[in-house]
Amino acid sequence: MKYRRFGKTNLDLSVFSLGTMRPLRSEEGFGQVVLQALSRGINHIETAKGYGKSEVYLGRFLSQIDRESVYLTTKLPPTPDPKRMAGWIDESLSRLRVKRIDCLALHGINTGEHLEWVQGEQGCMQAVQEAIAEGKLDHVGFSTHGSLELIQATLETGLFEFVNLHYYWSFQRHAPLLAIAHQLDMGVFIISPADKGGRLYTPPTQLQDLCQPFSPLELTYRFLLSDPRITTLSIGPATVDELGPYLEMGDRPLTETEQQVLSRLEQHMSDTLGRTQCHQCDRCLPCPEDINIPEVLRLRNLALAYNMVDYGQYRYGMFENAGHWFPGNKASRCTECGDCLPRCPTQLNIPQLLDETHSLLKGKQGRRLWED
């Protein structure tokens, strides 16, 4: 296992962190996954108030091991009420059976209102800072599913030491934020590269073939770990087997073969989609019907180029069902008003592509695994 400095926290975290969002069948199964992860060198576990019984299970387990050998992060949602935040912190300490939490992440600064709740004179950061002064917490960061502009504004408040960020080879819209976080000496924790990055525990055959001689999951991990600005990657195994064979992989720069495979993926998408490929410039926004056009068309890109239809249906089904965690309406809301057309630099027929994507991905409605 490799370890990296987590920005200005100065904690040395394993490059893989154990996330506990995915539901586990039992407390015994939870303990088996944690024990195996620790035995393979993982020294950072992330949980959250909203992750079912995760904090309770973890608290029972932590009481049986050397607490100083494990760094612990939990997450609490932003709130305009500092007293509520103070109570939540104490409740997490009680569930986790610890006197101190290494890292607290404000869970889901997803809207401008959330950021106002944090940084106002009477905002919840007041309670967080008091908890740090009292020795209940050591470091504070945030997780986010917000827009690039909102995340940048949150980074630049100077209130946080680390950020939990979505960023994968299949989703590079947040690349500018890595540079900002690095400049501010913030730790970068990549959220769920296996699941949110493409459901890569069970990739489609076409994607597997295109990634040879690597697996899609291995290539994703290597793409991320080759970037020294990234500290750690979240993995969320539901079973011991899902910990996989990759935890000891190196964090060296990409090899020539790895670069060639990534280039092959890009070229295959370009060849497959031709002039209908969305290049994710975001200039089509805002949409009068609040359709997240770039994300809808990103899912189309992946579904058509790599047969990632299952992943596309999983993510597309969250529109209109996951609130601020996955904002935007489904493509069926398009009225063909044409506002987006003159803004697209590649002159895509966006209404037509939205209609095609909805037909391809409408599937089942989705939601977050745990509701806060």
Side-chain angles (χ1 to χ4, degrees):
M1 180 66 66
K2 303 293 183 180
Y3 301 85
R4 290 181 176 178
R5 175 178 171 272
F6 197 36
K8 64 183 71 175
T9 72
N10 285 318
L11 302 178
D12 286 324
L13 300 190
S14 48
V15 294
F16 290 96
S17 293
L18 181 65
T20 58
M21 179 176 177
R22 295 178 69 197
L24 297 172
R25 294 184 180 89
S26 66
E27 182 176 350
E28 181 182 2
F30 183 98
Q32 290 173 351
V33 170
V34 173
L35 187 62
Q36 184 63 223
L38 296 180
S39 73
R40 295 183 61 182
I42 288 178
N43 72 350
H44 179 225
I45 303 176
E46 183 202 45
T47 183
K49 175 182 181 292
Y51 288 178
K53 295 183 178 180
S54 171
E55 283 188 328
V56 174
Y57 286 175
L58 188 56
R60 293 170 183 166
F61 187 80
L62 288 174
S63 65
Q64 305 171 33
I65 64 172
D66 178 10
R67 171 67 179 86
E68 297 305 314
S69 67
V70 180
Y71 295 116
L72 180 64
T73 293
T74 196
K75 299 186 291 188
L76 296 170
T79 170
D81 185 348
K83 290 184 179 179
R84 178 181 294 176
M85 176 59 72
W88 284 345
I89 291 171
D90 287 341
E91 289 170 5
S92 283
L93 286 166
S94 177
R95 285 190 292 267
L96 290 164
R97 302 187 184 189
V98 297
K99 296 180 179 179
R100 174 186 52 81
I101 296 169
D102 301 290
C103 297
L104 173 71
L106 294 185
H107 190 191
I109 299 181
N110 298 337
T111 70
E113 183 179 43
H114 293 155
L115 183 54
E116 291 174 5
W117 293 351
V118 170
Q119 63 182 354
E121 290 185 5
Q122 299 299 317
C124 61
M125 186 57 77
Q126 172 188 337
V128 173
Q129 292 171 341
E130 288 175 358
I132 291 174
E134 294 168 1
K136 297 177 179 179
L137 309 172
D138 285 344
H139 307 286
V140 60
F142 70 100
S143 70
T144 178
H145 295 237
S147 67
L148 189 149
E149 294 77 15
L150 176 67
I151 300 171
Q152 179 173 342
T154 307
L155 292 172
E156 292 176 347
T157 63
L159 295 172
F160 300 102
E161 298 169 272
F162 64 91
V163 58
N164 296 7
L165 194 66
H166 288 284
Y167 177 74
Y168 324 107
W169 67 261
S170 60
F171 179 82
Q172 299 185 41
R173 193 179 303 151
H174 288 164
L177 301 173
L178 286 177
I180 295 171
H182 180 67
Q183 184 179 16
L184 295 171
D185 194 26
M186 296 178 66
V188 175
F189 182 9
I190 298 299
I191 302 171
S192 187
D195 185 62
K196 305 299 190 301
R199 280 197 163 177
L200 300 179
Y201 286 126
T202 55
T205 300
Q206 184 174 7
L207 181 61
Q208 294 182 62
D209 292 342
L210 287 166
C211 289
Q212 290 297 325
F214 312 103
S215 73
L217 187 56
E218 179 184 11
L219 191 66
T220 291
Y221 288 160
R222 285 290 304 121
F223 169 80
L224 294 168
L225 292 179
S226 70
D227 191 329
R229 300 172 298 181
I230 292 170
T231 307
T232 187
L233 316 180
S234 173
I235 57 172
T239 66
V240 169
D241 290 342
E242 285 187 357
L243 281 167
Y246 307 120
L247 299 189
E248 291 79 27
M249 68 167 46
D251 57 354
R252 64 188 184 280
L254 288 172
T255 66
E256 183 177 351
T257 302
E258 289 164 344
Q259 292 173 348
Q260 288 172 349
V261 174
L262 288 167
S263 295
R264 180 197 305 160
L265 288 167
E266 291 181 11
Q267 187 62 51
H268 182 80
M269 177 176 288
S270 179
D271 292 343
T272 302
L273 299 176
R275 296 183 63 182
T276 71
Q277 180 180 351
C278 173
H279 293 278
Q280 301 289 284
C281 70
D282 290 8
R283 295 180 194 174
C284 52
L285 298 179
C287 169
E289 302 304 323
D290 196 29
I291 299 168
N292 188 339
I293 298 171
E295 182 62 12
V296 171
L297 297 187
R298 183 183 76 90
L299 297 176
R300 175 186 181 271
N301 286 350
L302 297 174
L304 295 182
Y306 311 131
N307 197 30
M308 294 173 67
V309 176
D310 177 70
Y311 170 72
Q313 290 177 338
Y314 154 54
R315 300 301 283 171
Y316 185 76
M318 294 179 70
F319 286 125
E320 304 182 30
N321 289 293
H324 57 75
W325 294 99
F326 203 73
N329 288 326
K330 287 184 165 63
S332 56
R333 302 278 186 173
C334 178
T335 63
E336 300 186 22
C337 69
D339 278 13
C340 56
L341 295 175
R343 298 200 296 267
C344 179
T346 55
Q347 299 181 318
L348 294 178
N349 186 339
I350 293 174
Q352 178 181 327
L353 298 181
L354 291 176
D355 181 64
E356 292 175 1
T357 305
H358 180 73
S359 297
L360 177 65
L361 301 180
K362 56 187 177 183
K364 297 181 180 179
Q365 293 185 350
R367 63 176 180 84
R368 302 182 71 242
L369 288 175
W370 296 114
E371 298 296 345
D372 294 329

